[in-house]
Short mmCIF file of all heavy atoms in Angstrom, two decimals:
data_model
loop_
_atom_site.label_atom_id
_atom_site.label_comp_id
_atom_site.label_asym_id
_atom_site.label_seq_id
_atom_site.Cartn_x
_atom_site.Cartn_y
_atom_site.Cartn_z
N MET A 1 0.81 -1.21 0.00
CA MET A 1 0.00 0.00 0.00
C MET A 1 0.86 1.27 0.00
O MET A 1 0.75 2.09 -0.89
CB MET A 1 -0.92 0.00 1.22
CG MET A 1 -1.87 1.18 1.24
SD MET A 1 -3.15 1.01 2.52
CE MET A 1 -2.24 1.40 4.01
N ILE A 2 1.75 1.41 1.02
CA ILE A 2 2.54 2.64 1.00
C ILE A 2 3.60 2.56 -0.11
O ILE A 2 4.13 1.50 -0.41
CB ILE A 2 3.20 2.98 2.36
CG1 ILE A 2 4.10 1.86 2.88
CG2 ILE A 2 2.15 3.37 3.37
CD1 ILE A 2 4.93 2.26 4.10
N GLY A 3 3.85 3.75 -0.68
CA GLY A 3 4.86 3.83 -1.74
C GLY A 3 6.07 4.57 -1.22
O GLY A 3 6.62 4.23 -0.17
N LYS A 4 6.45 5.62 -1.93
CA LYS A 4 7.67 6.36 -1.56
C LYS A 4 7.53 7.06 -0.22
O LYS A 4 6.43 7.44 0.20
CB LYS A 4 7.95 7.43 -2.62
CG LYS A 4 8.43 6.90 -3.94
CD LYS A 4 8.76 8.08 -4.85
CE LYS A 4 9.20 7.60 -6.22
NZ LYS A 4 9.40 8.73 -7.15
N LEU A 5 8.68 7.26 0.41
CA LEU A 5 8.75 8.19 1.54
C LEU A 5 8.73 9.59 0.93
O LEU A 5 9.69 10.00 0.27
CB LEU A 5 10.04 7.98 2.34
CG LEU A 5 10.25 8.92 3.52
CD1 LEU A 5 9.33 8.55 4.68
CD2 LEU A 5 11.69 8.90 4.00
N VAL A 8 10.42 13.72 5.35
CA VAL A 8 10.59 13.69 6.81
C VAL A 8 10.44 15.13 7.26
O VAL A 8 11.12 16.02 6.72
CB VAL A 8 11.98 13.16 7.20
CG1 VAL A 8 12.17 13.24 8.71
CG2 VAL A 8 12.19 11.74 6.70
N ILE A 10 10.80 18.02 10.10
CA ILE A 10 11.52 18.34 11.33
C ILE A 10 11.05 19.70 11.82
O ILE A 10 11.14 20.69 11.08
CB ILE A 10 13.05 18.36 11.08
CG1 ILE A 10 13.52 17.01 10.53
CG2 ILE A 10 13.81 18.73 12.36
CD1 ILE A 10 15.01 16.95 10.19
N VAL A 12 11.47 22.99 13.88
CA VAL A 12 12.69 23.71 14.28
C VAL A 12 12.31 25.02 14.97
O VAL A 12 11.39 25.71 14.56
CB VAL A 12 13.62 23.99 13.07
CG1 VAL A 12 14.00 22.69 12.38
CG2 VAL A 12 12.99 24.93 12.07
N ALA A 18 18.17 26.86 11.09
CA ALA A 18 18.05 25.50 10.57
C ALA A 18 18.31 25.47 9.06
O ALA A 18 18.93 24.53 8.54
CB ALA A 18 16.66 24.93 10.89
N LEU A 21 21.96 25.73 8.54
CA LEU A 21 22.59 24.46 8.90
C LEU A 21 22.52 23.46 7.74
O LEU A 21 23.52 22.84 7.36
CB LEU A 21 21.86 23.88 10.12
CG LEU A 21 22.38 22.59 10.72
CD1 LEU A 21 23.70 22.83 11.43
CD2 LEU A 21 21.37 22.02 11.71
N TYR A 22 21.34 23.33 7.15
CA TYR A 22 21.19 22.37 6.05
C TYR A 22 21.88 22.87 4.77
O TYR A 22 22.45 22.07 4.03
CB TYR A 22 19.71 22.03 5.81
CG TYR A 22 19.30 20.84 6.64
CD1 TYR A 22 18.94 20.98 7.97
CD2 TYR A 22 19.37 19.55 6.12
CE1 TYR A 22 18.63 19.87 8.75
CE2 TYR A 22 19.06 18.44 6.88
CZ TYR A 22 18.69 18.60 8.20
OH TYR A 22 18.39 17.50 8.95
N ASP A 24 24.48 25.39 4.51
CA ASP A 24 25.91 25.69 4.61
C ASP A 24 26.69 24.54 5.25
O ASP A 24 27.75 24.16 4.75
CB ASP A 24 26.13 26.97 5.41
CG ASP A 24 25.36 28.15 4.80
OD1 ASP A 24 25.11 28.11 3.58
OD2 ASP A 24 24.99 29.06 5.55
N THR A 25 26.18 24.02 6.37
CA THR A 25 26.94 23.00 7.09
C THR A 25 26.78 21.64 6.41
O THR A 25 27.76 20.92 6.22
CB THR A 25 26.47 22.92 8.56
OG1 THR A 25 26.56 24.24 9.12
CG2 THR A 25 27.32 21.95 9.36
N LEU A 26 25.56 21.28 6.05
CA LEU A 26 25.31 19.97 5.43
C LEU A 26 25.36 20.04 3.90
O LEU A 26 25.35 18.99 3.24
CB LEU A 26 23.99 19.38 5.91
CG LEU A 26 23.97 18.97 7.40
CD1 LEU A 26 22.57 18.52 7.82
CD2 LEU A 26 24.97 17.84 7.68
N GLY A 27 25.39 21.23 3.35
CA GLY A 27 25.59 21.38 1.91
C GLY A 27 24.44 20.88 1.06
O GLY A 27 24.65 20.37 -0.06
N LEU A 48 16.67 16.50 -1.34
CA LEU A 48 17.70 15.45 -1.44
C LEU A 48 17.47 14.71 -2.75
O LEU A 48 16.40 14.83 -3.36
CB LEU A 48 17.59 14.51 -0.23
CG LEU A 48 17.74 15.21 1.14
CD1 LEU A 48 17.55 14.21 2.26
CD2 LEU A 48 19.09 15.89 1.26
N PRO A 49 18.44 13.91 -3.20
CA PRO A 49 18.27 13.27 -4.51
C PRO A 49 17.07 12.31 -4.56
O PRO A 49 16.52 12.06 -5.63
CB PRO A 49 19.58 12.51 -4.70
CG PRO A 49 20.58 13.21 -3.84
CD PRO A 49 19.81 13.72 -2.66
N ASN A 50 16.69 11.75 -3.42
CA ASN A 50 15.62 10.73 -3.46
C ASN A 50 14.37 11.10 -2.68
O ASN A 50 13.35 10.42 -2.78
CB ASN A 50 16.14 9.39 -2.95
CG ASN A 50 16.66 9.45 -1.53
OD1 ASN A 50 17.06 10.51 -1.03
ND2 ASN A 50 16.65 8.30 -0.86
N THR A 51 14.41 12.16 -1.87
CA THR A 51 13.23 12.54 -1.10
C THR A 51 13.46 13.95 -0.56
O THR A 51 14.38 14.64 -1.02
CB THR A 51 12.97 11.51 0.04
OG1 THR A 51 11.71 11.80 0.66
CG2 THR A 51 14.07 11.53 1.07
N VAL A 53 13.45 16.67 2.99
CA VAL A 53 13.28 16.98 4.40
C VAL A 53 12.55 18.31 4.43
O VAL A 53 12.84 19.21 3.64
CB VAL A 53 14.64 17.07 5.12
CG1 VAL A 53 14.49 17.65 6.52
CG2 VAL A 53 15.29 15.68 5.18
N SER A 74 14.60 22.15 21.37
CA SER A 74 15.65 22.14 20.34
C SER A 74 15.09 21.75 18.97
O SER A 74 15.81 21.78 17.98
CB SER A 74 16.75 21.14 20.69
OG SER A 74 17.29 21.41 21.96
N GLY A 75 13.83 21.33 18.94
CA GLY A 75 13.25 20.78 17.71
C GLY A 75 13.29 19.27 17.74
O GLY A 75 13.68 18.65 18.75
N GLY A 76 12.88 18.67 16.62
CA GLY A 76 12.89 17.22 16.52
C GLY A 76 12.09 16.77 15.32
O GLY A 76 11.41 17.58 14.67
N ILE A 77 12.19 15.48 15.03
CA ILE A 77 11.43 14.94 13.90
C ILE A 77 9.96 14.90 14.30
O ILE A 77 9.60 14.29 15.30
CB ILE A 77 11.93 13.54 13.50
CG1 ILE A 77 13.39 13.63 13.03
CG2 ILE A 77 11.05 12.95 12.40
CD1 ILE A 77 14.00 12.28 12.70
N ILE A 80 6.63 11.58 9.58
CA ILE A 80 7.11 11.11 8.29
C ILE A 80 5.90 10.90 7.40
O ILE A 80 4.81 10.57 7.87
CB ILE A 80 7.93 9.80 8.39
CG1 ILE A 80 7.19 8.72 9.19
CG2 ILE A 80 9.29 10.06 8.99
CD1 ILE A 80 7.96 7.40 9.25
N TYR A 82 4.31 9.06 4.00
CA TYR A 82 4.37 8.03 2.96
C TYR A 82 3.33 8.34 1.89
O TYR A 82 2.22 8.81 2.19
CB TYR A 82 4.05 6.66 3.55
CG TYR A 82 4.99 6.19 4.63
CD1 TYR A 82 4.52 5.85 5.89
CD2 TYR A 82 6.36 6.08 4.40
CE1 TYR A 82 5.37 5.39 6.89
CE2 TYR A 82 7.22 5.64 5.39
CZ TYR A 82 6.72 5.29 6.63
OH TYR A 82 7.57 4.85 7.61
N LYS A 93 -8.83 0.69 4.66
CA LYS A 93 -8.07 -0.50 5.05
C LYS A 93 -7.50 -0.32 6.45
O LYS A 93 -7.55 -1.23 7.29
CB LYS A 93 -6.94 -0.74 4.04
CG LYS A 93 -6.17 -2.00 4.36
CD LYS A 93 -5.07 -2.34 3.38
CE LYS A 93 -4.33 -3.56 3.93
NZ LYS A 93 -2.93 -3.59 3.56
N LEU A 94 -6.97 0.86 6.72
CA LEU A 94 -6.37 1.12 8.04
C LEU A 94 -7.42 1.07 9.13
O LEU A 94 -7.21 0.47 10.19
CB LEU A 94 -5.67 2.48 8.04
CG LEU A 94 -4.37 2.49 7.25
CD1 LEU A 94 -3.95 3.90 6.92
CD2 LEU A 94 -3.28 1.77 8.04
N THR A 97 -8.40 -2.31 10.27
CA THR A 97 -7.44 -3.00 11.14
C THR A 97 -7.41 -2.39 12.54
O THR A 97 -6.65 -2.84 13.39
CB THR A 97 -5.99 -2.91 10.58
OG1 THR A 97 -5.56 -1.55 10.66
CG2 THR A 97 -5.91 -3.40 9.15
N LYS A 122 0.30 6.46 18.48
CA LYS A 122 0.26 5.29 19.38
C LYS A 122 0.07 3.99 18.60
O LYS A 122 0.41 2.91 19.09
CB LYS A 122 -0.89 5.43 20.38
CG LYS A 122 -0.66 6.51 21.42
CD LYS A 122 0.09 5.99 22.64
CE LYS A 122 0.27 7.10 23.66
NZ LYS A 122 1.36 6.86 24.58
N ASP A 123 -0.51 4.09 17.43
CA ASP A 123 -0.72 2.89 16.61
C ASP A 123 0.46 2.60 15.68
O ASP A 123 0.46 1.58 15.00
CB ASP A 123 -2.00 3.05 15.76
CG ASP A 123 -3.25 3.17 16.61
OD1 ASP A 123 -3.23 2.67 17.76
OD2 ASP A 123 -4.23 3.77 16.15
N PHE A 124 1.45 3.53 15.64
CA PHE A 124 2.55 3.37 14.69
C PHE A 124 3.90 3.59 15.36
O PHE A 124 4.70 4.43 14.93
CB PHE A 124 2.34 4.30 13.47
CG PHE A 124 1.18 3.85 12.63
CD1 PHE A 124 -0.10 4.30 12.89
CD2 PHE A 124 1.36 2.90 11.64
CE1 PHE A 124 -1.19 3.84 12.15
CE2 PHE A 124 0.29 2.44 10.91
CZ PHE A 124 -0.99 2.90 11.16
N ASN A 125 4.14 2.86 16.45
CA ASN A 125 5.45 2.88 17.12
C ASN A 125 5.88 4.29 17.53
O ASN A 125 7.05 4.66 17.37
CB ASN A 125 6.53 2.28 16.20
CG ASN A 125 6.17 0.89 15.75
OD1 ASN A 125 6.11 -0.02 16.57
ND2 ASN A 125 5.90 0.72 14.47
N GLY A 126 4.94 5.07 18.04
CA GLY A 126 5.30 6.39 18.53
C GLY A 126 5.65 7.38 17.43
O GLY A 126 6.23 8.43 17.70
N THR A 127 5.28 7.05 16.20
CA THR A 127 5.63 7.89 15.04
C THR A 127 4.36 8.48 14.43
O THR A 127 3.46 7.73 14.06
CB THR A 127 6.35 7.03 13.98
OG1 THR A 127 7.50 6.43 14.57
CG2 THR A 127 6.76 7.86 12.79
N MET B 1 26.92 18.61 0.23
CA MET B 1 27.64 17.50 0.86
C MET B 1 26.75 16.27 1.04
O MET B 1 27.07 15.20 0.57
CB MET B 1 28.18 17.95 2.21
CG MET B 1 29.02 16.91 2.90
SD MET B 1 29.89 17.59 4.33
CE MET B 1 28.58 17.74 5.52
N ILE B 2 25.60 16.45 1.76
CA ILE B 2 24.78 15.25 1.95
C ILE B 2 24.08 14.88 0.64
O ILE B 2 23.72 15.74 -0.16
CB ILE B 2 23.75 15.38 3.10
CG1 ILE B 2 22.80 16.57 2.92
CG2 ILE B 2 24.46 15.45 4.44
CD1 ILE B 2 21.64 16.58 3.92
N GLY B 3 23.94 13.57 0.46
CA GLY B 3 23.27 13.05 -0.72
C GLY B 3 21.91 12.47 -0.34
O GLY B 3 21.11 13.13 0.31
N LYS B 4 21.70 11.23 -0.71
CA LYS B 4 20.39 10.60 -0.47
C LYS B 4 20.11 10.43 1.02
O LYS B 4 21.02 10.26 1.82
CB LYS B 4 20.37 9.22 -1.11
CG LYS B 4 20.29 9.23 -2.62
CD LYS B 4 20.19 7.78 -3.11
CE LYS B 4 20.20 7.72 -4.63
NZ LYS B 4 20.17 6.33 -5.11
N LEU B 5 18.82 10.41 1.33
CA LEU B 5 18.38 9.94 2.64
C LEU B 5 18.49 8.42 2.61
O LEU B 5 17.72 7.74 1.91
CB LEU B 5 16.93 10.35 2.92
CG LEU B 5 16.37 9.87 4.25
CD1 LEU B 5 16.94 10.69 5.41
CD2 LEU B 5 14.85 9.96 4.28
N VAL B 8 15.42 6.03 7.52
CA VAL B 8 14.86 6.55 8.76
C VAL B 8 14.80 5.36 9.71
O VAL B 8 14.25 4.31 9.35
CB VAL B 8 13.44 7.11 8.54
CG1 VAL B 8 12.83 7.58 9.86
CG2 VAL B 8 13.46 8.26 7.54
N ILE B 10 13.50 3.65 13.17
CA ILE B 10 12.45 3.75 14.18
C ILE B 10 12.70 2.68 15.23
O ILE B 10 12.77 1.48 14.91
CB ILE B 10 11.05 3.55 13.54
CG1 ILE B 10 10.83 4.61 12.44
CG2 ILE B 10 9.95 3.64 14.60
CD1 ILE B 10 9.51 4.46 11.69
N VAL B 12 11.54 0.31 18.11
CA VAL B 12 10.22 -0.30 18.38
C VAL B 12 10.32 -1.26 19.56
O VAL B 12 11.30 -1.99 19.70
CB VAL B 12 9.66 -1.03 17.13
CG1 VAL B 12 9.58 -0.08 15.94
CG2 VAL B 12 10.49 -2.25 16.76
N ALA B 18 5.71 -4.64 15.11
CA ALA B 18 6.05 -3.54 14.20
C ALA B 18 6.22 -4.05 12.77
O ALA B 18 5.82 -3.40 11.80
CB ALA B 18 7.32 -2.84 14.67
N LEU B 21 2.85 -4.68 11.34
CA LEU B 21 2.21 -3.40 11.05
C LEU B 21 2.66 -2.88 9.68
O LEU B 21 1.83 -2.49 8.84
CB LEU B 21 2.60 -2.40 12.14
CG LEU B 21 2.01 -1.00 12.08
CD1 LEU B 21 0.53 -1.03 12.42
CD2 LEU B 21 2.75 -0.08 13.04
N TYR B 22 3.96 -2.90 9.44
CA TYR B 22 4.46 -2.38 8.16
C TYR B 22 4.13 -3.33 7.01
O TYR B 22 3.83 -2.87 5.89
CB TYR B 22 5.97 -2.07 8.25
CG TYR B 22 6.19 -0.63 8.68
CD1 TYR B 22 6.16 -0.29 10.03
CD2 TYR B 22 6.32 0.38 7.74
CE1 TYR B 22 6.31 1.05 10.42
CE2 TYR B 22 6.47 1.70 8.12
CZ TYR B 22 6.46 2.04 9.47
OH TYR B 22 6.58 3.35 9.84
N ASP B 24 1.59 -5.90 6.93
CA ASP B 24 0.18 -6.22 6.72
C ASP B 24 -0.70 -4.97 6.67
O ASP B 24 -1.56 -4.85 5.79
CB ASP B 24 -0.32 -7.16 7.82
CG ASP B 24 0.53 -8.43 7.90
OD1 ASP B 24 1.11 -8.82 6.86
OD2 ASP B 24 0.62 -9.01 9.00
N THR B 25 -0.48 -4.07 7.62
CA THR B 25 -1.36 -2.90 7.69
C THR B 25 -0.96 -1.86 6.66
O THR B 25 -1.81 -1.31 5.96
CB THR B 25 -1.32 -2.29 9.11
OG1 THR B 25 -1.63 -3.31 10.05
CG2 THR B 25 -2.31 -1.15 9.25
N LEU B 26 0.34 -1.58 6.56
CA LEU B 26 0.80 -0.56 5.61
C LEU B 26 1.18 -1.16 4.26
O LEU B 26 1.43 -0.42 3.29
CB LEU B 26 1.98 0.23 6.20
CG LEU B 26 1.60 1.14 7.39
CD1 LEU B 26 2.84 1.79 7.99
CD2 LEU B 26 0.60 2.22 6.98
N GLY B 27 1.25 -2.49 4.16
CA GLY B 27 1.45 -3.13 2.87
C GLY B 27 2.82 -2.91 2.26
O GLY B 27 2.97 -2.84 1.04
N ALA B 28 3.84 -2.82 3.10
CA ALA B 28 5.19 -2.60 2.58
C ALA B 28 5.96 -3.92 2.55
O ALA B 28 5.57 -4.91 3.17
CB ALA B 28 5.93 -1.58 3.45
N LEU B 48 11.16 0.74 0.77
CA LEU B 48 10.27 1.63 0.03
C LEU B 48 10.90 1.89 -1.34
O LEU B 48 12.09 1.60 -1.53
CB LEU B 48 10.08 2.94 0.80
CG LEU B 48 9.52 2.76 2.22
CD1 LEU B 48 9.43 4.11 2.92
CD2 LEU B 48 8.16 2.09 2.20
N PRO B 49 10.14 2.40 -2.31
CA PRO B 49 10.71 2.56 -3.65
C PRO B 49 11.91 3.51 -3.70
O PRO B 49 12.76 3.37 -4.58
CB PRO B 49 9.54 3.13 -4.47
CG PRO B 49 8.32 2.72 -3.73
CD PRO B 49 8.70 2.70 -2.27
N ASN B 50 12.00 4.45 -2.76
CA ASN B 50 13.09 5.44 -2.86
C ASN B 50 14.05 5.44 -1.67
O ASN B 50 15.09 6.09 -1.73
CB ASN B 50 12.52 6.86 -3.03
CG ASN B 50 11.62 7.28 -1.88
OD1 ASN B 50 11.01 6.44 -1.21
ND2 ASN B 50 11.50 8.57 -1.67
N THR B 51 13.72 4.72 -0.61
CA THR B 51 14.60 4.71 0.55
C THR B 51 14.17 3.55 1.47
O THR B 51 13.38 2.70 1.05
CB THR B 51 14.59 6.07 1.28
OG1 THR B 51 15.60 6.10 2.29
CG2 THR B 51 13.24 6.36 1.91
N VAL B 53 13.03 2.28 5.60
CA VAL B 53 12.78 2.49 7.02
C VAL B 53 13.41 1.30 7.72
O VAL B 53 13.30 0.16 7.25
CB VAL B 53 11.27 2.59 7.31
CG1 VAL B 53 10.99 2.56 8.81
CG2 VAL B 53 10.71 3.87 6.70
N SER B 74 6.49 3.56 23.63
CA SER B 74 5.77 3.15 22.41
C SER B 74 6.70 3.06 21.21
O SER B 74 6.29 2.64 20.14
CB SER B 74 4.67 4.15 22.06
OG SER B 74 3.77 4.32 23.12
N GLY B 75 7.95 3.52 21.38
CA GLY B 75 8.88 3.61 20.26
C GLY B 75 8.92 5.04 19.73
O GLY B 75 8.32 5.96 20.31
N GLY B 76 9.64 5.23 18.64
CA GLY B 76 9.73 6.55 18.03
C GLY B 76 10.87 6.59 17.03
O GLY B 76 11.68 5.65 16.94
N ILE B 77 10.93 7.69 16.28
CA ILE B 77 12.01 7.83 15.31
C ILE B 77 13.31 8.09 16.07
O ILE B 77 13.40 9.02 16.86
CB ILE B 77 11.72 8.98 14.33
CG1 ILE B 77 10.46 8.65 13.52
CG2 ILE B 77 12.91 9.20 13.39
CD1 ILE B 77 10.01 9.78 12.60
N ILE B 80 17.99 9.69 11.62
CA ILE B 80 17.92 9.68 10.16
C ILE B 80 19.34 9.62 9.64
O ILE B 80 20.27 10.13 10.26
CB ILE B 80 17.17 10.89 9.57
CG1 ILE B 80 17.71 12.21 10.10
CG2 ILE B 80 15.69 10.78 9.82
CD1 ILE B 80 17.00 13.42 9.49
N TYR B 82 21.91 10.22 6.40
CA TYR B 82 22.20 10.81 5.10
C TYR B 82 23.48 10.20 4.55
O TYR B 82 24.43 9.94 5.29
CB TYR B 82 22.41 12.32 5.22
CG TYR B 82 21.22 13.08 5.76
CD1 TYR B 82 21.35 13.87 6.91
CD2 TYR B 82 20.00 13.05 5.12
CE1 TYR B 82 20.26 14.60 7.41
CE2 TYR B 82 18.91 13.78 5.61
CZ TYR B 82 19.05 14.55 6.75
OH TYR B 82 17.99 15.27 7.24
N LYS B 93 34.76 18.96 7.74
CA LYS B 93 33.99 20.16 7.44
C LYS B 93 33.04 20.47 8.60
O LYS B 93 32.89 21.62 9.04
CB LYS B 93 33.20 19.97 6.14
CG LYS B 93 32.44 21.23 5.78
CD LYS B 93 31.68 21.15 4.47
CE LYS B 93 30.88 22.45 4.30
NZ LYS B 93 29.64 22.28 3.59
N LEU B 94 32.38 19.42 9.13
CA LEU B 94 31.43 19.62 10.22
C LEU B 94 32.13 20.12 11.47
O LEU B 94 31.65 21.02 12.15
CB LEU B 94 30.69 18.31 10.50
CG LEU B 94 29.66 17.97 9.42
CD1 LEU B 94 29.27 16.51 9.52
CD2 LEU B 94 28.44 18.86 9.57
N THR B 97 32.91 23.72 11.57
CA THR B 97 31.79 24.63 11.84
C THR B 97 31.35 24.55 13.30
O THR B 97 30.40 25.22 13.70
CB THR B 97 30.57 24.29 10.97
OG1 THR B 97 30.04 23.01 11.40
CG2 THR B 97 30.92 24.20 9.50
N LYS B 122 21.80 17.96 19.54
CA LYS B 122 21.65 19.37 19.95
C LYS B 122 22.12 20.32 18.85
O LYS B 122 21.73 21.47 18.80
CB LYS B 122 22.47 19.65 21.22
CG LYS B 122 21.92 18.99 22.46
CD LYS B 122 20.86 19.86 23.14
CE LYS B 122 20.35 19.15 24.39
NZ LYS B 122 19.07 19.67 24.84
N ASP B 123 23.01 19.83 17.99
CA ASP B 123 23.52 20.68 16.91
C ASP B 123 22.66 20.57 15.65
O ASP B 123 22.92 21.28 14.67
CB ASP B 123 24.96 20.29 16.55
CG ASP B 123 25.92 20.55 17.71
OD1 ASP B 123 25.62 21.42 18.55
OD2 ASP B 123 26.96 19.86 17.79
N PHE B 124 21.67 19.64 15.66
CA PHE B 124 20.90 19.39 14.44
C PHE B 124 19.39 19.35 14.73
O PHE B 124 18.70 18.36 14.42
CB PHE B 124 21.39 18.10 13.73
CG PHE B 124 22.76 18.29 13.16
CD1 PHE B 124 23.90 18.02 13.91
CD2 PHE B 124 22.91 18.83 11.89
CE1 PHE B 124 25.17 18.26 13.39
CE2 PHE B 124 24.17 19.07 11.37
CZ PHE B 124 25.30 18.78 12.12
N ASN B 125 18.91 20.40 15.38
CA ASN B 125 17.47 20.55 15.61
C ASN B 125 16.87 19.35 16.35
O ASN B 125 15.78 18.88 16.02
CB ASN B 125 16.71 20.72 14.29
CG ASN B 125 17.23 21.89 13.48
OD1 ASN B 125 17.11 23.04 13.91
ND2 ASN B 125 17.86 21.60 12.35
N GLY B 126 17.57 18.86 17.35
CA GLY B 126 17.01 17.77 18.15
C GLY B 126 16.94 16.45 17.43
O GLY B 126 16.25 15.53 17.88
N THR B 127 17.65 16.34 16.30
CA THR B 127 17.59 15.13 15.48
C THR B 127 18.95 14.43 15.48
O THR B 127 19.95 15.05 15.14
CB THR B 127 17.24 15.52 14.02
OG1 THR B 127 16.00 16.23 14.02
CG2 THR B 127 17.13 14.29 13.14
#
Side-chain angles (χ1 to χ4, degrees):
Chain A
M1 184 169 76
I2 57 171
K4 288 184 182 175
L5 179 74
V8 176
I10 303 177
V12 302
L21 183 71
Y22 270 83
D24 304 334
T25 306
L26 292 174
L48 302 177
N50 60 336
T51 188
V53 170
S74 304
I77 297 176
I80 50 178
Y82 299 123
K93 183 178 175 210
L94 286 163
T97 68
K122 289 272 181 202
D123 296 335
F124 291 89
N125 304 294
T127 303
Chain B
M1 184 169 75
I2 57 171
K4 288 183 184 177
L5 178 74
V8 177
I10 302 177
V12 304
L21 182 71
Y22 269 84
D24 304 333
T25 305
L26 291 175
L48 302 177
N50 59 334
T51 189
V53 170
S74 303
I77 297 175
I80 52 178
Y82 299 122
K93 183 177 176 212
L94 287 163
T97 68
K122 290 273 181 199
D123 296 334
F124 291 89
N125 304 295
T127 303

